[in-house]
Amino acid sequence: MATTLKTKEDTDQTAPANQPAEVRFRMRITKGETIALGPGKVSLLEAVRKHGSISAAARSLDMSYRRAWLLIDELNRSLKSPATISEQGGQSGGGCVLTPVGESIVRLYREVEHQAEAACAQQIASLTDLLKP
Amino acid sequence: MATTLKTKEDTDQTAPANQPAEVRFRMRITKGETIALGPGKVSLLEAVRKHGSISAAARSLDMSYRRAWLLIDELNRSLKSPATISEQGGQSGGGCVLTPVGESIVRLYREVEHQAEAACAQQIASLTDLLKP
């Protein structure tokens, strides 16, 4: 076995133990090659709701304005009716608010995460029981 | 708005439409900074079961042998009892089979995906209904 693998073993042995297991569900709805809806877009919608603009939302997520704008644009294009409304503004765009569709997406997506975890509680308990404490 | 953004718009308009929406659940169980169990490790276990060695499993997933070995090693270290048993072999290691623990992990993880989707059918239908056909 290569030395690098042994080095990795040593590193792992110093990792902190006895941390509680955390379970995280991620749902993605794809259409062809495009991820129409996933955790990134939902977090971005929540940040837009909180901060009132795409630029402030992008900053809060440590994301470039361009990437945030493209994600919102891709999301809105995939929807029958847009999830956000942008007001005209300065260089980085003006304010941006969620539409009722945007609010529904956030609510339904977060419901899915909670409900999935509740529905699978038994299997999750069996899986975490296989892990070292 | 920057020209690059407009170019992206043009690209999107030529994307194929009328593709069916597909829903994919991913569950991760983390302990501290480490992903103890997630879709990558479960797919790797399934490939090991199918191909009978870590090297063949890695090839089938277009993954380096080193990365596959490290993932299996990380998984086995996080478990009370290992998910795989390796036989001594040649340069790239010998054969590798799943233990009953490894079989349970695959079964429980795939059950979770199916059960989560079934439990959230209503919200998933509401979300996909917001998408363009």
Side-chain angles (χ1 to χ4, degrees):
Chain A
M1 198 61 74
T3 309
T4 45
L5 298 182
K6 286 193 181 140
T7 306
K8 178 62 164 60
E9 284 178 39
D10 295 342
T11 308
D12 278 357
Q13 281 164 356
T14 62
N18 293 319
Q19 303 222 36
E22 282 182 34
V23 176
R24 185 94 187 138
F25 272 94
R26 293 279 162 92
M27 182 184 69
R28 288 185 168 82
I29 301 179
T30 56
K31 299 262 289 181
E33 298 291 298
T34 307
I35 298 172
L37 196 66
K41 283 173 179 162
V42 172
S43 295
L44 183 54
L45 286 181
E46 287 175 325
V48 165
R49 179 171 59 183
K50 182 174 178 187
H51 297 284
S53 74
I54 295 177
S55 54
R59 269 196 303 278
S60 77
L61 295 171
D62 205 17
M63 182 187 284
S64 72
Y65 171 72
R66 180 168 185 277
R67 174 157 170 73
W69 190 94
L70 287 170
L71 283 172
I72 294 278
D73 183 60
E74 188 176 72
L75 174 62
N76 284 337
R77 282 169 187 281
S78 72
L79 295 168
K80 291 175 187 162
S81 168
T84 62
I85 297 178
S86 290
E87 299 153 22
Q88 294 303 315
Q91 284 188 16
S92 306
C96 181
V97 295
L98 299 200
T99 63
V101 166
E103 295 287 352
S104 292
I105 289 172
V106 170
R107 180 178 52 78
L108 288 164
Y109 188 89
R110 295 306 180 200
E111 265 181 40
V112 162
E113 287 181 323
H114 293 129
Q115 201 153 316
E117 192 167 336
C120 302
Q122 199 185 334
Q123 289 92 337
I124 291 170
S126 298
L127 281 169
T128 52
D129 196 48
L130 296 172
L131 298 174
K132 279 181 192 158
Chain B
M1 199 64 70
T3 310
T4 44
L5 299 182
K6 285 194 180 140
T7 306
K8 180 61 164 58
E9 285 179 37
D10 295 343
T11 309
D12 278 358
Q13 281 164 356
T14 62
N18 293 318
Q19 303 223 35
E22 282 183 35
V23 176
R24 184 94 187 137
F25 271 95
R26 291 280 163 91
M27 183 183 69
R28 287 185 169 83
I29 301 179
T30 56
K31 299 261 291 179
E33 298 291 298
T34 306
I35 298 171
L37 196 65
K41 283 173 179 160
V42 172
S43 295
L44 183 55
L45 286 181
E46 287 175 325
V48 166
R49 180 172 59 183
K50 182 173 178 189
H51 297 282
S53 74
I54 295 177
S55 55
R59 268 196 304 278
S60 78
L61 296 171
D62 205 16
M63 182 187 284
S64 72
Y65 171 72
R66 181 169 184 277
R67 175 156 170 74
W69 190 94
L70 286 170
L71 284 172
I72 293 279
D73 184 60
E74 188 177 71
L75 174 63
N76 284 338
R77 282 170 186 283
S78 71
L79 296 168
K80 291 175 187 163
S81 167
T84 62
I85 297 178
S86 289
E87 300 153 21
Q88 294 303 316
Q91 283 188 18
S92 307
C96 182
V97 295
L98 299 199
T99 64
V101 166
E103 296 286 353
S104 293
I105 289 172
V106 170
R107 180 178 52 78
L108 288 165
Y109 189 89
R110 295 306 180 200
E111 265 181 39
V112 163
E113 287 181 322
H114 293 129
Q115 201 153 316
E117 191 167 337
C120 302
Q122 199 186 333
Q123 289 92 337
I124 290 170
S126 298
L127 281 168
T128 52
D129 196 48
L130 296 172
L131 298 174
K132 280 181 192 157

